[in-house]
Amino acid sequence: MADSTQTVDLDSTIAALQGGLTSLPPEAAVGAIESWQQQLQGTEIAETLGQLKQALTAGGGSSIGSLLADLGSQTSAAAGSASGDAASKLQQLGQLLAQAGSSIS
């Protein structure tokens, strides 16, 4: 998970989360989720992203926090098998997702 497209996506996803969940329009969030789903096809993270996209589009507010927390722990776990800059960015992304999840659950 360390090609240049994913590094750019990591940077933009981290920046979006640092700006706060409410600063991200729902359609932009869904677009980012779909992009990550394509890149991570066949993984547990992609499955959770699909559930998050469904919750966002259906207005399932109560499950969004839980799904974000799940994504945070899955992303942090993925950081353990990454190397270099990608590992630290994945760890940071995992922490941001977990924080976002706990802030709305």
Side-chain angles (χ1 to χ4, degrees), residues 13 23-24 42 49 67-70 74 79-80 83 86-87 90-91 94 99-100:
T13 304
S23 70
L24 194 61
L49 285 167
L67 289 166
L68 286 169
D70 289 348
Q74 292 168 358
S83 60
L90 284 170
Q91 190 61 46
Q99 289 170 357

Side-chain angles (χ1 to χ4, degrees), residues 55-81:
L56 285 171
T57 56
S62 61
S63 62
I64 292 172
S66 174
L67 289 166
L68 286 169
D70 289 348
L71 280 171
S73 59
Q74 292 168 358
T75 303
S76 293
S81 61

Side-chain angles (χ1 to χ4, degrees), residues 8-28:
V8 169
D9 286 347
L10 280 171
D11 291 339
S12 63
T13 304
I14 288 168
L17 286 169
Q18 286 174 329
L21 290 179
T22 57
S23 70
L24 194 61
E27 53 279 351

Side-chain angles (χ1 to χ4, degrees), residues 5 43 46 51 56 61 75 91 102-103:
T5 301
T43 67
Q51 294 170 4
L56 285 171
T75 303
Q91 190 61 46
S102 66
S103 75

